[in-house]
Amino acid sequence: MVGWVALMWVLTAIDGGTPRCFPGMADQPLVCEYGIEPRDPAELRDVFPAAFLHFGFDHLIANSVPLLVFGFIAALRGIGRFLGVCLIIIAISGLGVWLTSAPGSITAGASGVVFGLFGYLLVRGFVERNALDITIGVVVFLLYGSILWGVLPTASGVSWQGHLFGLIGGVLAAFWLRRSPGSPGGRGDRWRGRGRGWGGRRGLQGPPPGHPG
């Protein structure tokens, strides 16, 4: 997560810290070039890079700490699963922005990922019936629950669409990537008591009759 946030700071520094977007300008800042412009099919390629770009350091600072906190907690369950969660969040948040943002707008920033990880941490424990993750979700809500106001269109210049669809993406990721009952850290044992073969319902041990070993 430190590396992720450091990359965003480097990209913002490359843009000069206070990028401005002007239509027709030959040498656009990265955030203008790869931000999401709604309902233009060519802009679908920018859904993922837009999540790493920001409109200046103030924008970046607002996202850095919650991204570090939520990302670190989410990644404790495994890097592979965490990356899958983030891909789902970025895709759904970006597509939601592409479909619903105001004409002529450019949207970028990690806030969709922040809201997505927040939603993921809130519901993960309930989806998997894991007491520790439920406790983590409750603590995260008590500390950061006020950010939910960000899904409402109450502030001009702020992509509430990215926030809302990021939150939806995080909740969906909790369901789509939930641990199966037989996986490490999951609930119980998927195999136990299901099979009809040797060692299935009766719990018999050892090889079947006539087996060499």
Side-chain angles (χ1 to χ4, degrees):
M1 290 312 303
V2 171
W4 183 335
V5 172
L7 173 62
M8 297 194 306
W9 278 80
V10 169
L11 293 173
T12 304
I14 291 174
D15 270 352
T18 55
R20 295 290 184 268
C21 302
F22 298 100
M25 188 170 65
D27 189 16
Q28 294 270 19
L30 293 173
V31 70
C32 305
E33 182 73 20
Y34 296 101
I36 302 171
E37 297 182 48
R39 293 171 293 285
D40 180 352
E43 292 293 313
L44 288 172
R45 66 185 179 184
D46 295 333
V47 163
F48 286 93
F52 296 85
L53 300 168
H54 292 80
F55 290 99
F57 286 115
D58 289 344
H59 185 202
L60 175 58
I61 290 170
N63 286 330
S64 292
V65 173
L67 182 63
L68 275 171
V69 174
F70 298 160
F72 176 78
I73 296 172
L76 290 175
R77 287 289 180 265
I79 296 299
R81 189 186 188 199
F82 169 72
L83 293 176
V85 168
C86 290
L87 287 175
I88 292 171
I89 292 170
I90 292 173
I92 293 179
S93 176
L95 289 174
V97 166
W98 184 83
L99 285 170
T100 64
S101 287
S105 63
I106 299 177
T107 302
S111 57
V113 181
V114 169
F115 276 76
L117 291 173
F118 176 77
Y120 172 74
L121 293 174
L122 281 186
V123 305
R124 178 182 64 182
F126 296 98
V127 170
E128 300 182 1
R129 300 179 186 177
N130 184 296
L132 176 59
D133 286 340
I134 290 174
T135 303
I136 290 172
V138 170
V139 172
V140 167
F141 176 76
L142 292 175
L143 294 177
Y144 291 94
S146 60
I147 72 170
L148 288 174
W149 291 109
V151 305
L152 301 176
T154 56
S156 62
V158 176
S159 177
W160 61 270
Q161 297 96 331
H163 299 171
L164 175 61
F165 284 98
L167 184 69
I168 292 171
V171 172
L172 291 176
F175 282 92
W176 289 343
L177 299 181
R178 64 184 180 273
R179 293 184 185 275
S180 62
S183 63
R187 305 185 305 276
D189 187 341
R190 175 195 293 261
W191 175 83
R192 184 180 301 159
R194 288 193 176 185
R196 290 182 175 273
W198 192 263
R201 293 188 180 278
R202 297 184 180 180
L204 301 178
Q205 303 296 321
H211 192 279

